[in-house]
Amino acid sequence: MKTLWVVSVLLLSCWRANASTAGFIKSPLSRMKLINDSAELHCEVIGNPIPEVQWWFLEGEEPNETSTQLFDGARDDRVQINATYIAHATSTIYLTSLTLDDSGTYECRASNDPDRNELKKTPKIKWIRSQANVIVIESPQIITDPVEVNNQTSATLSCNLTETSLPVKGSHWLHNGKIIDKSKSTEAKTYTVYSLEKITHSSGGKYECVFLTEPVVQQTIEVKTLPHVAAYKHSEHGNEQDKGVMVCVSHSYPLPTTWMWYKEEDGNQTPIVNGSSKYEIKSTPEKTTLTVNDLDMETDIADYTCTGTNDLGSSSDKIHLRVRSRLAALWPFLGILAEVIILVTIILIYEKRRKPDEVTDDDDSGAAPLKSNSTTNHKDKNVRQRNSN
């Protein structure tokens, strides 16, 4: 029993020797934001054991100051808190859809005292605190001209920042969220212009004039065009009794809200009804797909038209569907087989005609040596006769 008590004392002493009070390594920074914007505050704390982090909102001034702890989902789910406790404690609070009532002091509190949440005991180590102010102001008025561009070939966009005391450090324009490099300016002007010399489906979209103030202020001008509809492939094919799939896409602004498919029969456009056993249509704002089931060579070979419609009008493109016989895949094999048969036949005919010639050549080559041997023997006989004389 005594040994156990000694071990416990030693472990407690080691824990106290390794324990350290909480301390901030990153404190939240104050923010100035516009109404309906969002704000983010972040703090990081070290200590052993890893400290707990809390967020509080302070209202009023001392001695009448009140504090309210903030939790994830507070203020009608406009408050979100993310925290991690690995090597040290990190915590981030997100405030969305800001209102004037969200202005105030936000406090990051941290403590690793074991009794920090015990209401009946005074913590040995009090909570450490770091504060940041969030100031929410009304958005300055930006007058745009025009307010919206509808189906025009060219346009000049302008923004005028009025009724503001915020200093301007420059401006630029955004197209669908991306900065237009040639629009960047470092001039402290409250007026900016951007020209669209030729408006196409690719240049349509959301244009935003951005004034580099603190906080940044911006306004949007929508440039709308007719829907641009393009077939993924203008010629599609499928095998008989299989499926034929045709696809059309759109990259314009605004995207089509309605897609329709038509089949050309005897010069007339017949609407295709979705949901039947023959046809299946699947559409999103960016794409539409027509699937023709159980292809038939006599009835399904035709031109099919896809039509996309938005607020400004409609646009379409055409796809030709070809249907092949199920035996179409055998034709290459049959062609190769026919070539092999013809080649083998030619070789056999050639070999058959060549054999008699080879026999004649062999007979001629056999007679020559006999004649040669007779001549040689005759010469030898004459030689022997001369010697005898």
Side-chain angles (χ1 to χ4, degrees):
M1 187 67 180
K2 185 176 181 180
T3 303
L4 182 61
W5 180 82
V6 172
V7 171
S8 300
V9 171
L10 290 174
L11 291 175
L12 182 61
S13 300
C14 292
W15 180 84
R16 287 179 177 176
N18 292 329
S20 60
T21 57
F24 286 101
I25 58 175
K26 185 174 287 187
S27 297
L29 301 177
S30 296
R31 298 280 189 269
M32 181 180 289
K33 294 292 182 179
L34 302 175
I35 291 178
N36 292 325
D37 278 354
S38 59
E40 176 183 325
L41 302 175
H42 181 77
C43 69
E44 297 184 19
V45 191
I46 59 172
N48 188 16
I50 298 175
E52 177 190 358
V53 179
Q54 297 178 354
W55 287 95
W56 292 72
F57 179 64
L58 308 182
E59 294 180 286
E61 297 181 359
E62 294 182 352
N64 298 322
E65 182 182 79
T66 60
S67 59
T68 305
Q69 186 175 358
L70 297 175
F71 297 94
D72 191 40
R75 296 179 180 173
D76 297 327
D77 209 28
R78 293 189 300 111
V79 175
Q80 298 177 7
I81 299 176
N82 293 331
T84 60
Y85 299 92
I86 304 176
H88 60 281
T90 64
S91 183
T92 303
I93 184 171
Y94 301 93
L95 309 171
T96 60
S97 302
L98 291 171
T99 66
L100 295 176
D101 294 336
D102 293 323
S103 296
T105 301
Y106 291 80
E107 188 174 77
C108 178
R109 297 183 183 181
S111 176
N112 58 359
D113 190 288
D115 299 327
R116 59 186 176 274
N117 294 320
E118 181 60 52
L119 299 179
K120 296 181 180 180
K121 296 182 180 179
T122 302
K124 299 175 184 177
I125 304 174
K126 295 183 178 181
W127 291 81
I128 60 173
R129 309 179 182 194
S130 182
Q131 297 178 345
N133 294 320
V134 174
I135 302 174
V136 183
I137 62 174
E138 293 185 355
S139 301
Q141 184 180 11
I142 298 178
I143 300 176
T144 61
D145 184 33
V147 177
E148 187 177 271
V149 177
N150 292 320
N151 197 24
Q152 297 182 14
T153 56
S154 63
T156 299
L157 313 180
S158 65
C159 290
N160 186 15
L161 178 62
T162 62
E163 300 178 3
T164 180
S165 58
L166 300 174
V168 179
K169 299 179 181 178
S171 63
H172 61 260
W173 286 81
L174 302 176
H175 179 215
N176 294 332
K178 296 182 179 179
I179 295 179
I180 303 173
D181 292 332
K182 64 181 181 180
S183 70
K184 292 181 179 179
S185 173
T186 56
E187 297 181 2
K189 293 183 178 180
T190 58
Y191 184 78
T192 180
V193 176
Y194 184 71
S195 297
L196 293 171
E197 298 178 356
K198 184 178 180 180
I199 299 177
T200 63
H201 70 276
S202 59
S203 57
K206 291 184 178 180
Y207 287 82
E208 297 174 84
C209 55
V210 181
F211 292 96
L212 303 180
T213 58
E214 184 57 43
V216 171
V217 293
Q218 59 195 67
Q219 188 59 273
T220 301
I221 300 177
E222 290 185 309
V223 177
K224 298 181 178 181
T225 64
L226 286 171
H228 177 262
V229 175
Y232 187 75
K233 291 173 63 177
H234 287 95
S235 179
E236 290 285 358
H237 65 269
N239 294 326
E240 194 176 18
Q241 298 180 2
D242 284 345
K243 293 183 178 180
V245 180
M246 291 165 281
V247 180
C248 287
V249 296
S250 177
H251 302 290
S252 54
Y253 182 87
L255 291 168
T257 55
T258 304
W259 286 100
M260 285 292 295
W261 283 90
Y262 301 90
K263 180 182 178 183
E264 187 172 321
E265 295 177 325
D266 299 328
N268 298 321
Q269 298 284 347
T270 304
I272 296 176
V273 180
N274 188 24
S276 64
S277 59
K278 185 66 177 180
Y279 301 107
E280 181 181 357
I281 299 175
K282 293 182 179 180
S283 299
T284 64
E286 298 86 1
K287 182 175 70 172
T288 181
T289 303
L290 170 64
T291 302
V292 183
N293 298 313
D294 193 20
L295 289 174
D296 187 279
M297 293 183 64
E298 295 182 359
T299 60
D300 293 329
I301 297 178
D303 289 331
Y304 293 80
T305 301
C306 56
T307 300
T309 304
N310 64 11
D311 297 338
L312 302 181
S314 301
S315 181
S316 27
D317 204 359
K318 186 177 293 185
I319 304 173
H320 180 71
L321 177 63
R322 295 179 291 114
V323 181
R324 300 179 303 187
S325 170
R326 293 184 62 86
L327 300 177
L330 295 177
W331 292 120
F333 171 75
L334 295 177
I336 295 173
L337 182 61
E339 290 179 359
V340 172
I341 293 174
I342 293 172
L343 182 60
V344 171
T345 303
I346 292 172
I347 293 174
L348 292 176
I349 294 173
Y350 175 77
E351 290 292 334
K352 185 175 181 180
R353 291 184 177 181
R354 183 171 174 271
K355 284 184 178 181
D357 295 338
E358 291 179 351
V359 173
T360 303
D361 292 342
D362 292 343
D363 293 342
D364 293 342
S365 61
L370 293 175
K371 184 176 180 182
S372 176
N373 292 337
S374 174
T375 304
T376 304
N377 294 335
H378 181 70
K379 288 181 179 180
D380 291 341
K381 183 177 181 180
N382 292 335
V383 171
R384 283 195 293 269
Q385 289 175 354
R386 288 174 186 172
N387 290 336
S388 62
N389 292 331

